Amino acid sequence: MTAMSFIVLISGNGTNLQSIIDTIEAGQMNASLSAVISNNAEAYGLTRAKNHAIVTRVIDHRLYDSRDSFDQALHRCIQEFEPDYIVLAGFMRILGSAFINTYRHKILNIHPSLLPKYKGLNTYQRAMENRETEHGVSIHLVTSELDAGPVLMLGRYSIEEGNTLADLEQKGHRLEHRMYPKVLQWLSEKKLQIGNHGIEFEQQILRKPIEFDQ
Ligand code: GRF
């Protein structure tokens, strides 16, 4: 089976990117990263990519006068690589629907909550303020509605009495770094397939998100 190619879009630290790189380098995923693209030239994730000889590109959103023109520049950049999937990993820009439709079924995102709960930002804080006893991570397909595309995988953890924001972030990140490589590995093996017919896992239509087995 030919290796899948992914492009990872980042804006910051890139710990999820690192977990994907490590999984590929450990030979656990038949895939390659054709490029890492950031809207932020200072993103530490770019250094991580360079450390592993992965092609990097910066498309600084501040140099574009509209979301659309930024999206078009991103599209032109991605076209060069013809990736199978575009993997958003801490990419802090909202993509417009024209871009999203161009890459229908091909854009994934990781979000730090159990979607559909807590879309948007500051999910840990909001979960704590609401005295939730459970929080988690979602990996979902990107559609034009923010954080609302079909969820492929959910990972859960409990919020214990006395947990701080930092504790939750740590629990969340730990899960994320195992979940994203797993989903990408399944895509590369075609165990998980996404297309016009819907999402299939082991040849069965996925009717609800896969629960990440810890
Ligand atoms: C992750 O926590 C992810 O859930 C959110 O952005 C964060 C990115 O972290 N979308 P990193 O840059 O991968 O360390």
Side-chain angles (χ1 to χ4, degrees):
M1 211 186 286
T2 49
M4 283 231 163
S5 79
F6 301 124
I7 277 196
V8 184
L9 303 192
I10 58 163
S11 299
N13 189 352
T15 61
N16 279 285
L17 166 67
Q18 187 71 56
S19 71
I20 297 164
I21 294 173
D22 292 346
T23 307
I24 292 173
E25 289 192 348
Q28 290 161 6
M29 196 195 296
N30 184 24
S32 64
L33 298 189
S34 30
V36 171
I37 305 175
S38 177
N39 64 306
N40 167 20
E42 305 300 318
Y44 182 65
L46 290 169
T47 304
R48 295 180 189 273
K50 286 177 192 150
N51 287 344
H52 294 267
I54 297 165
V55 173
T56 60
R57 295 277 192 274
V58 175
I59 304 174
D60 184 341
H61 61 278
R62 293 169 304 184
L63 305 179
Y64 297 86
D65 57 11
S66 66
R67 189 187 302 288
D68 216 36
S69 56
F70 170 76
D71 285 1
Q72 282 169 20
L74 185 59
H75 172 50
R76 280 195 300 275
C77 180
I78 290 173
Q79 261 180 326
E80 182 193 333
F81 300 101
E82 298 184 354
D84 293 297
Y85 288 94
I86 299 169
V87 178
L88 309 189
F91 183 65
M92 301 306 285
R93 301 298 301 168
I94 293 175
L95 296 163
S97 48
F99 179 92
I100 290 169
N101 290 335
T102 307
Y103 295 102
R104 204 167 131 74
H105 306 314
K106 286 178 176 290
I107 313 176
L108 304 176
N109 185 38
I110 190 157
H111 181 78
S113 80
L114 296 169
L115 290 172
K117 289 176 101 171
Y118 301 109
K119 295 173 181 172
L121 297 173
N122 305 320
T123 65
Y124 299 107
Q125 195 173 334
R126 288 189 283 145
M128 281 187 84
E129 281 164 7
N130 288 342
R131 302 194 161 278
E132 298 280 1
T133 54
E134 185 185 55
H135 198 50
V137 174
S138 305
I139 295 175
H140 67 97
L141 278 184
V142 174
T143 56
S144 29
E145 203 188 327
L146 185 71
D147 298 331
V151 178
L152 304 174
M153 183 186 269
L154 289 175
R156 302 169 189 274
Y157 56 86
S158 53
I159 303 182
E160 320 279 349
E161 198 63 42
N163 273 172
T164 62
L165 207 55
D167 293 331
L168 295 203
E169 280 172 8
Q170 195 185 41
K171 289 187 195 193
H173 275 129
R174 247 191 234 144
L175 258 186
E176 288 186 357
H177 299 158
R178 290 160 61 216
M179 287 171 62
Y180 229 171
K182 186 47 85 182
V183 165
L184 298 180
Q185 185 191 340
W186 285 343
L187 283 171
S188 71
E189 292 167 351
K190 300 217 159 69
K191 184 170 174 171
L192 182 63
Q193 291 185 288
I194 307 168
N196 289 328
H197 48 280
I199 300 166
E200 282 182 14
F201 183 63
E202 295 178 327
Q203 261 112 56
Q204 303 286 321
I205 290 284
L206 191 68
R207 304 203 182 277
K208 53 183 175 56
I210 300 162
E211 291 283 336
F212 182 65
D213 187 8
Q214 313 212 22

